[in-house]
Amino acid sequence: MIPVKGFEGATVAVLGLGRSGLSAARALREGGAEVLVWDDNPTARERAEDEGFTARQLTRPEAFEDVASLIVSPGIPHLYPKPNPAVAAALEAGVPVDNDIGLFFRSLGGEGWDDLDSPPKVIAVTGSNGKSTTSALIHHILTEAGRDSQLAGNIGRGVLDIDPPGDGGAVVLELSSYQTDLARALTPDIAVFTNLSPDHLGRHGGLGGYYAAKRRLFAEGGPDRAIIGVDEYEGMSLAGQLAEGRADDRVIRIAVGRKLSGPGWYVFARKGFLAEWRKGRQMSAIDLREVRGLPGAHNHQNACAAYAVARTLGIGPREIERALHTFEGLPHRSQIVGEKGGVTFVNDSKATNVDAALKALMAFPKIRWICGGLQKEGGLEGLAEGLDHVSKAYVIGREAEGFALQLKGIEAEACTTMEQAVARAASEAEPGEVVLLAPAAASFDQYDSFEKRGEDFVARVQAALGR
């Protein structure tokens, strides 16, 4: 645990008692704070009270008269579309609002770090798509290289639940826009921006607010090294704002599908090959085509980001390449779950938006595509480039017929249930094809989470394969 500093003897309120909220309450108490808690769910409140925390209803400004700060869990709106009533009460009372990420950064360092040969490093990864895989891949490369590494944040453990890192240790954080938007302290040593596509727009008041939430990771504290995906203008703009000039190698630009050139530091992937260029010279190249755990251009972008982080930390190209080949990928993200008769079954349930689904479609040449669910804003027009790869679509979800009608130029069958979709796709798939779950939609019309949807797909595939 990372004890929270700066609140010794003060009263701090914690709103939301899921994984991050409860761990924040424990870390605050460990640091000497008096902790009040609240959650609208009575079961969550009871669980916290069983640990000795005091529950207080926080929806009135007078509830904050003795409170030094309010710590808010990531899923609770603090501004858009409107503040949670407890957050609104804190704002009206003039009480600072923060989250567990802010507490982590203000509390991580210690006096003992001055005596370490190699002070610990914090690597923070944000972006619309690929941040989980990128974070896990960085952690994997570091571990394979014999480095002490912990994975936390939006993946792995809660940030305040980790062990204090030791000499030469690394903490790899996946940070969502919900987490970066509110944190009062953001001071990673290395910060990664993968890409940007429209998502969570209601929560951030539009695309500009969503980008601004991501940008805070780079603007608030100023990382020593910034690794920026420049396949969109937002990334190009961010890299330009951070760099002092074209040759400033504190900014490493990454891209897929095109060569980057100039006097700076670049890592890019084209036609399945990763290349590192620095000061106008190629430093190394890696063939990614046979890296089983990273199929497709979107995963090659993840590999570029992870490679750049590892190089910044002094790990050699060949050592990185060996680690890439032992990376098995993450559940629900381009996860190979079975093969039979030349047909491969891939679970990409995490492809909950159009951009992520398009990247999944572009990763394979011949696809039996399982898609559908609770459709997000913007429609499905952004999928057009990938539809040439689709032999047939099998649409699930309560609005399967309406979803199918939007898929122009391909055969689409409204199956509604995962069981029927997998059965139909498996029976019609031919050798060399991929049965791909990449929904391009949220799961909440049928499942509690994208994980539950992916688990259902895996179970149906295993049944179809006779396992």
Side-chain angles (χ1 to χ4, degrees):
M1 177 181 292
I2 307 292
V4 173
K5 299 176 182 177
F7 292 107
E8 295 85 352
T11 299
V12 179
V14 175
L15 178 63
L17 296 171
R19 184 188 69 162
S20 66
L22 201 52
S23 69
R26 294 172 185 141
L28 282 159
R29 182 168 61 185
E30 185 70 17
E34 296 292 329
V35 182
L36 304 172
V37 299
W38 184 256
D39 193 298
D40 291 338
N41 185 334
T43 302
R45 294 198 303 270
E46 290 171 8
R47 184 169 61 245
E49 288 175 326
D50 288 343
E51 293 193 28
F53 293 108
T54 300
R56 178 188 289 183
Q57 229 284 358
L58 297 172
T59 55
R60 297 187 307 275
E62 53 265 32
F64 288 93
E65 289 180 353
D66 59 343
V67 172
S69 185
L70 174 65
I71 308 305
V72 180
S73 294
I76 298 174
H78 67 276
L79 188 57
Y80 298 114
K82 65 179 181 179
N84 176 278
V87 176
L91 296 175
E92 290 172 10
V95 171
V97 180
D98 203 350
N99 63 14
D100 63 326
I101 303 301
L103 296 180
F104 169 82
F105 278 111
R106 72 180 286 169
S107 305
L108 181 63
E111 295 178 1
W113 281 25
D114 294 337
D115 300 325
L116 299 179
D117 292 332
S118 300
K121 300 289 187 182
V122 177
I123 302 106
V125 181
T126 196
S128 296
N129 299 304
K131 56 186 178 294
S132 293
T133 296
T134 298
S135 301
L137 183 55
I138 293 166
H139 172 64
H140 176 77
I141 293 170
L142 293 174
T143 302
E144 290 291 293
R147 306 286 183 93
D148 177 26
S149 176
Q150 298 182 78
L151 183 62
N154 211 37
I155 187 175
R157 301 162 67 184
V159 292
L160 294 169
D161 283 337
I162 68 170
D163 301 321
D167 198 353
V171 178
V172 184
L173 302 180
E174 178 199 339
L175 299 181
S176 72
S177 59
Y178 291 4
Q179 293 168 309
T180 58
D181 195 20
L182 186 57
R184 290 171 62 88
L186 285 168
T187 54
D189 297 283
I190 302 169
V192 180
F193 177 89
T194 58
N195 50 60
L196 194 86
S197 60
D199 208 357
H200 308 303
L201 300 188
R203 173 64 183 265
H204 296 293
L207 184 59
Y210 177 53
Y211 169 64
K214 301 289 188 185
R215 184 181 178 277
R216 290 190 77 247
L217 181 62
F218 304 84
E220 292 299 307
D224 295 332
R225 185 84 65 183
I227 295 159
I228 310 294
V230 293
D231 288 323
E232 298 89 28
Y233 282 113
E234 289 87 353
M236 295 180 200
S237 175
L238 180 58
Q241 290 173 339
L242 295 172
E244 291 296 329
R246 296 181 67 209
D248 186 353
D249 64 5
R250 295 173 302 170
V251 177
I252 305 176
R253 292 168 172 85
I254 63 172
V256 289
R258 63 192 178 98
K259 179 180 178 180
L260 300 177
S261 61
W265 195 348
Y266 309 98
V267 180
F268 57 88
R270 286 196 309 166
K271 299 180 180 179
F273 287 86
L274 180 153
E276 176 190 4
W277 283 70
R278 193 170 185 181
K279 297 180 180 179
R281 296 176 56 246
Q282 183 168 341
M283 308 301 292
S284 66
I286 296 175
D287 185 351
L288 298 175
R289 294 172 299 176
E290 300 303 320
V291 178
R292 185 176 174 82
L294 296 166
H298 62 304
N299 275 311
H300 294 174
Q301 182 187 57
N302 300 334
C304 288
Y307 176 96
V309 169
R311 292 291 286 134
T312 292
L313 294 174
I315 300 174
R318 298 288 74 81
E319 197 169 8
I320 298 171
E321 182 175 10
R322 286 192 295 271
L324 294 179
H325 281 281
T326 58
F327 182 68
E328 295 182 354
L330 291 176
H332 318 300
R333 299 164 176 87
S334 299
Q335 176 193 16
I336 297 174
V337 298
E339 294 178 280
K340 187 175 183 180
V343 177
T344 303
F345 295 81
V346 176
N347 169 22
D348 205 338
S349 183
K350 184 60 172 67
T352 58
N353 59 46
V354 166
D355 186 66
L358 175 62
K359 288 178 168 63
L361 293 177
M362 298 300 291
F364 307 101
K366 296 180 180 180
I367 298 168
R368 300 280 170 170
W369 179 31
I370 298 176
C371 58
L374 189 62
Q375 190 173 327
K376 296 185 177 182
E377 297 178 14
L380 303 179
E381 291 81 1
L383 293 166
E385 183 183 359
L387 296 184
D388 288 344
H389 295 218
V390 176
S391 301
K392 182 178 176 180
Y394 305 81
V395 186
I396 62 173
R398 295 178 185 172
E399 304 297 329
E401 291 187 4
F403 197 102
L405 288 173
Q406 297 179 68
L407 300 175
K408 306 298 183 182
I410 62 170
E411 183 181 359
E413 178 180 343
C415 296
T416 306
T417 66
M418 185 71 75
E419 180 178 16
Q420 184 178 355
V422 171
R424 293 287 294 152
S427 67
E428 295 181 354
E430 300 177 355
E433 291 187 325
V434 170
V435 175
L436 171 68
L437 171 65
S443 60
F444 302 121
D445 60 332
Q446 292 182 307
Y447 302 93
D448 290 338
S449 64
F450 74 83
E451 291 96 341
K452 293 295 184 184
R453 177 172 59 191
E455 289 166 5
D456 190 20
F457 173 76
V458 172
R460 303 300 178 186
V461 169
Q462 290 176 341
L465 299 180
R467 297 178 181 174

